[in-house]
Amino acid sequence: MMLLNILPSSSSLSFSKTHKKYPIKNPNSTHLGSRTTISHHQNPKVSTFNNIHTHPTHKVSSFFKIPHGFSNFDPNHEKPTSYAVKSVSEGNQDSTPDGEIEKDSNKSNKTLQLAIVFGFWYFQNIVFNIYNKKALNVFPYPWLLASFQLLVGSVWMLVLWSTKLQPCPKIDKSFIVALLGPALFHTIGHISACVSFSKVAVSFTHVIKSAEPVFSVVFSSALGDSYPLSVWLSILPIVMGCSLAAVTEVSFNLGGLWGAMISNVGFVLRNIYSKKSLQNFKQVNGLNLYGWITILSFIYLFPVAVFVEGSQWVAGYHKAIATVGTPSTFYLWVMISGVFYHLYNQSSYQALDDISPLTFSVGNTMKRVVVIVSSVIVFRNPVRPLNALGSAIAILGTFLYSQASSKKKAAVEKKD
């Protein structure tokens, strides 16, 4: 005798035994021993009354940080154990599992996070470059301006640490000693870039700075690292593009060229030295690490700045005020350059904590394109066709390098 269990609409119809001659076959049925369970759905919704799911908790990022860390739905969320019932006349309708919905939500959250990180990073970089150049146009003393930018960053971090908006890292003498080298090279890279900005167009400086991968490969190879042929080939268009851009640059200045080149050397040595000297301090996150680098860099730079151009600051200040017209405007330009210099570097270090190195490299390449285009529009710098072609080739080479180097890192990690 066939026993029919009548359950609510979200349950299944179960038969105690199947007909031997005419067994029940259904594509949605599951066979459990001698019992056959037929799942019929009345609606596309998935019933979850047998499983109670908690709502995802969203973390709130600090006001002073890049809004990141949007919590994602749990990808391991259990599927419901009961299935909805539908009438046979409606046919088979596909329903979306919870896992797929949550995977889509997870993907959209990551996309939004990435867009916010890069959006803030690009915006802050554009603002810094524009107002830094405006200040240098009327006050061509890059040593003082670079020192002020480091001072603003130092005060910013001290305020965050003292108010506990950013947890202060526990450090000791060994950490400071290990940081002395990276901070010195960071100082060299920063002041050299500022000197370049004061002598040539912002776009030209950034085209030359796109050659940083060339110096990275050369110096790392000299220190014992090996690179595949694809990496070496990728730096060729960088060299050719930068050379073409330099030859055809309208605002070409030898001091500006050398400043950008030395800046590349400084930042490459900072990165190489940091990997070796800071291996035992991985508990210090990117933001705190950059904060201490900024403080030490200011201590390095300011005394040298006083020695190099300190005697010219007073006369240069009065000339700048006379050129601008109102002191408040000049103060605003200088302050914005200082604040946004720290913010865009802070964003880049936070981005490194949140995204993959390949994504960061590609984003950094595109950042240069955005900054170059923005500066050309704002300052109306004349650009020759060959100059634009050289810039494009150099940027393309940087992109190819990021792709090739990421494959090398993946191969090394796979071996480990």
Side-chain angles (χ1 to χ4, degrees):
M1 179 176 178
M2 186 177 294
L3 177 63
L4 175 64
N5 296 324
I6 302 178
L7 297 175
S9 60
S10 59
S11 60
S12 60
L13 296 177
S14 302
F15 296 89
S16 60
K17 82 183 220 179
T18 61
H19 198 287
K20 295 182 180 179
K21 185 176 182 179
Y22 302 102
I24 299 175
K25 294 182 180 180
N26 190 293
N28 294 328
S29 65
T30 56
H31 298 273
L32 300 175
S34 64
R35 299 187 60 182
T36 302
T37 303
I38 307 176
S39 300
H40 297 300
H41 303 276
Q42 288 185 355
N43 53 61
K45 291 186 178 180
V46 179
S47 172
T48 57
F49 80 96
N50 280 345
N51 274 347
I52 300 176
H53 305 301
T54 58
H55 295 285
T57 303
H58 296 272
K59 298 180 181 178
V60 180
S61 300
S62 172
F63 175 78
F64 291 91
K65 297 181 180 179
I66 295 299
H68 68 283
F70 291 93
S71 61
N72 302 321
F73 291 102
D74 184 5
N76 298 320
H77 208 236
E78 293 181 359
K79 294 182 180 179
T81 56
S82 63
Y83 298 89
V85 178
K86 78 170 186 178
S87 62
V88 178
S89 61
E90 292 179 353
N92 294 327
Q93 296 180 1
D94 294 332
S95 60
T96 304
D98 282 354
E100 292 183 7
I101 297 176
E102 291 162 2
K103 187 181 295 185
D104 291 340
S105 300
N106 185 18
K107 185 177 180 179
S108 62
N109 280 343
K110 287 184 177 180
T111 302
L112 177 61
Q113 172 189 348
L114 195 62
I116 292 175
V117 168
F118 280 110
F120 271 84
W121 185 21
Y122 288 7
F123 171 74
Q124 292 159 354
N125 212 298
I126 291 171
V127 173
F128 161 71
N129 279 278
I130 289 174
Y131 283 92
N132 182 62
K133 183 61 176 177
K134 282 188 173 184
L136 287 171
N137 283 342
V138 298
F139 187 76
Y141 300 101
W143 290 80
L144 177 58
L145 194 59
S147 299
F148 177 77
Q149 290 161 357
L150 294 173
L151 175 63
V152 170
S154 301
V155 173
W156 182 282
M157 291 306 303
L158 291 174
V159 170
L160 291 184
W161 288 333
S162 61
T163 57
K164 296 183 179 180
L165 292 172
Q166 170 69 22
C168 184
K170 295 181 180 180
I171 60 171
D172 53 19
K173 183 180 178 181
S174 60
F175 174 75
I176 299 297
V177 171
L179 207 59
L180 291 177
L184 175 61
F185 292 124
H186 178 81
T187 306
I188 294 172
H190 178 46
I191 181 55
S192 301
C194 280
V195 169
S196 179
F197 285 134
S198 68
K199 295 182 179 297
V200 294
V202 173
S203 56
F204 179 68
T205 299
H206 276 280
V207 170
I208 301 303
K209 282 179 67 63
S210 67
E212 186 174 317
V214 177
F215 294 90
S216 179
V217 172
V218 171
F219 280 100
S220 297
S221 298
L223 294 174
D225 288 349
S226 60
Y227 289 90
L229 181 62
S230 59
V231 172
W232 286 99
L233 292 177
S234 68
I235 67 176
L236 292 180
I238 300 177
V239 175
M240 292 187 294
C242 288
S243 302
L244 181 59
V247 171
T248 58
E249 173 62 33
V250 175
S251 64
F252 179 81
N253 178 280
L254 190 60
L257 174 64
W258 277 108
M261 300 281 277
I262 294 173
S263 177
N264 285 336
V265 173
F267 286 130
V268 165
L269 292 178
R270 178 199 64 181
N271 297 338
I272 294 175
Y273 203 95
S274 296
K275 290 179 181 179
K276 295 185 176 182
S277 64
L278 297 175
Q279 287 183 349
N280 298 326
F281 304 97
K282 294 182 179 180
Q283 72 277 8
V284 182
N285 64 17
L287 178 56
N288 288 328
L289 177 63
Y290 179 69
W292 279 107
I293 288 178
T294 300
I295 294 172
L296 292 177
S297 294
F298 172 73
I299 296 173
Y300 276 134
L301 183 60
F302 185 68
V304 182
V306 174
F307 175 78
V308 172
E309 58 183 25
S311 60
Q312 308 173 56
W313 289 345
V314 175
Y317 166 77
H318 290 296
K319 186 177 179 181
I321 297 301
T323 303
V324 177
T326 54
S328 59
T329 301
F330 175 67
Y331 300 154
L332 181 64
W333 291 354
V334 174
M335 182 60 68
I336 290 177
S337 74
V339 171
F340 278 85
Y341 171 75
H342 178 80
L343 286 179
Y344 97 75
N345 279 285
Q346 172 180 309
S347 298
S348 67
Y349 273 82
Q350 286 180 311
L352 275 172
D353 286 341
D354 295 337
I355 60 180
S356 67
L358 174 59
T359 305
F360 180 84
S361 297
V362 174
N364 193 45
T365 303
M366 297 308 299
K367 177 205 73 176
R368 295 206 185 279
V369 175
V370 172
V371 171
I372 289 172
V373 173
S374 301
S375 65
V376 169
I377 294 174
V378 171
F379 297 107
R380 299 180 180 179
N381 299 323
V383 179
R384 296 171 179 171
L386 285 178
N387 183 265
L389 177 61
S391 301
I393 293 174
I395 297 298
L396 175 62
T398 306
F399 174 77
L400 295 176
Y401 167 80
S402 66
Q403 300 289 319
S405 61
S406 66
K407 291 180 181 179
K408 172 184 177 294
K409 291 178 182 178
V412 172
E413 291 175 357
K414 191 175 182 179
K415 289 181 180 180
D416 296 340

